[in-house]
Amino acid sequence: MKQVRLNNGIMMPSVGYGVFQIAQADTERCVSDAIEVGYRLIDTASAYFNEKEVGDAIRHSGLKREELFVTTKLWVQDYETDDALRAFDKSMALLGLDYLDLYLLHKPYGNYYAAWRALERLYREGRVRAIGVTSFSDERLQDLYLHNEVKPMVNQIETNPFFQQTVSNHFLQSEGIQHEAWSPFAEGKNNIWNNPVLTAIAEKHGRTVGQVMLRWLNQRNVVVIPKTVSRARMVENFSIFDFALSDAEMQAIAALDQPKSPILDDQDLATTKWIGTMRIHD
């Protein structure tokens, strides 16, 4: 498994397994399958409501704790400092872990300065090996690290062939912050699985469209966390290191980029209000 080195020296797998939108009833089975396939990075969040099931799969895996890289996320509702520390303890209890590999702020809304300082404390105390953010724009991310002590190690942002985040990718690499992609398959939007550019490249290499998209991201130094409930697809998504895309193929995929996300418009006030005020607990 190819790994990347975070800016604090911690090694992180470059391909992981995400559990967003996987039902609680299916999560333990799916994570267990993913671990058996070979995944060692597991990505969840308090807002996914399946941390306990992820923890059950980890506990039943038989692997040593240090063999896994586990990520979870703090929701906006808990961004005040004391709330953040309580939410972390709750996540750890659900996961059944003594420490976390990566803890992320889930969205750039609310009092994320207070939340970040709570994460800094957890990091200094050794309860978290690395800390970072999710869905932060470049300017908000820069503002955050310029006025705090610990520079984020990861920014997990939507990245796929229709929303390629080229400027952010260059910015993150220049700042030593790892680019991680959520929704690498664009949630199937715009008929992506039948896109003629992607299908032609896949046919040339004898691969699936999904493998081409993940390999394209991998060659851009982006960590990926594809989600699937199918064990066969897990195997496919994990098998991207024995072929490479040419410069011409990378450029052909680059031409698919669009100015706005096919999934979520961060500039839409109704959307940002909904996310920023969503409660996941009483």
Side-chain angles (χ1 to χ4, degrees), residues 15 30 48 56 59 71 79 107 124 162-163 217 232 240 245 260 276:
V15 176
C30 289
Y48 298 169
D56 289 343
R59 186 171 64 256
T71 301
Y79 274 13
K107 291 291 180 181
R124 286 193 297 266
F162 297 141
F163 197 56
L217 287 162
I240 63 168
L245 302 181
K260 287 189 176 183

Side-chain angles (χ1 to χ4, degrees), residues 1 13-18 39-43 223-227:
M1 162 57 64
S14 61
V15 176
Y17 180 67
Y39 291 84
R40 293 297 178 262
L41 163 57
I42 308 297
D43 179 279
V223 171
V224 294
I225 46 170
K227 183 265 292 187

Side-chain angles (χ1 to χ4, degrees), residues 163-178:
F163 197 56
Q164 300 186 11
Q165 302 277 20
T166 302
V167 172
S168 292
N169 182 261
H170 292 320
F171 171 70
L172 293 171
Q173 291 195 49
S174 70
E175 291 297 323
I177 299 170
Q178 180 59 49

Side-chain angles (χ1 to χ4, degrees), residues 29-42:
R29 172 189 62 80
C30 289
V31 174
S32 295
D33 283 348
I35 291 173
E36 289 178 6
V37 167
Y39 291 84
R40 293 297 178 262
L41 163 57
I42 308 297

Side-chain angles (χ1 to χ4, degrees), residues 26-182:
D26 297 325
T27 300
E28 182 178 353
R29 172 189 62 80
C30 289
V31 174
S32 295
D33 283 348
I35 291 173
E36 289 178 6
V37 167
Y39 291 84
R40 293 297 178 262
L41 163 57
I42 308 297
D43 179 279
T44 184
S46 57
Y48 298 169
F49 304 108
N50 55 18
E51 288 173 309
K52 180 183 182 300
E53 290 73 22
V54 169
D56 289 343
I58 290 171
R59 186 171 64 256
H60 296 146
S61 71
L63 295 179
K64 295 179 180 178
R65 171 64 184 92
E66 58 269 23
E67 294 182 63
L68 292 169
F69 190 102
V70 183
T71 301
T72 194
K73 308 176 191 76
L74 177 70
W75 187 247
V76 178
Q77 179 183 352
D78 294 312
Y79 274 13
E80 298 300 331
T81 301
D82 289 344
D83 292 338
L85 296 173
R86 281 192 292 268
F88 175 78
D89 286 340
K90 181 179 179 180
S91 287
M92 295 301 285
L94 290 169
L95 288 164
L97 301 177
D98 295 325
Y99 69 89
L100 191 66
D101 296 285
L102 178 62
Y103 201 30
L104 302 177
L105 299 186
H106 205 150
K107 291 291 180 181
Y109 308 124
N111 193 0
Y112 57 81
Y113 267 77
W116 184 251
R117 287 163 184 164
L119 265 62
E120 288 182 323
R121 173 178 166 178
L122 294 167
Y123 177 65
R124 286 193 297 266
E125 292 174 349
R127 303 185 70 191
V128 179
R129 298 175 70 222
I131 54 178
V133 297
T134 309
S135 299
F136 271 60
S137 61
D138 296 342
E139 69 275 7
R140 288 202 181 196
L141 179 58
Q142 178 178 258
D143 185 65
L144 182 69
Y145 69 71
L146 286 177
H147 300 287
N148 286 284
E149 296 180 5
V150 180
K151 195 173 192 178
M153 291 94 191
V154 172
N155 189 12
Q156 186 184 112
I157 54 179
E158 179 194 344
T159 316
N160 52 63
F162 297 141
F163 197 56
Q164 300 186 11
Q165 302 277 20
T166 302
V167 172
S168 292
N169 182 261
H170 292 320
F171 171 70
L172 293 171
Q173 291 195 49
S174 70
E175 291 297 323
I177 299 170
Q178 180 59 49
H179 182 170
E180 184 176 19
W182 63 260

Side-chain angles (χ1 to χ4, degrees), residues 234-248:
M234 291 178 196
V235 173
E236 287 181 7
N237 294 342
F238 197 69
S239 305
I240 63 168
F241 298 105
D242 56 351
F243 76 106
L245 302 181
S246 67
D247 290 343

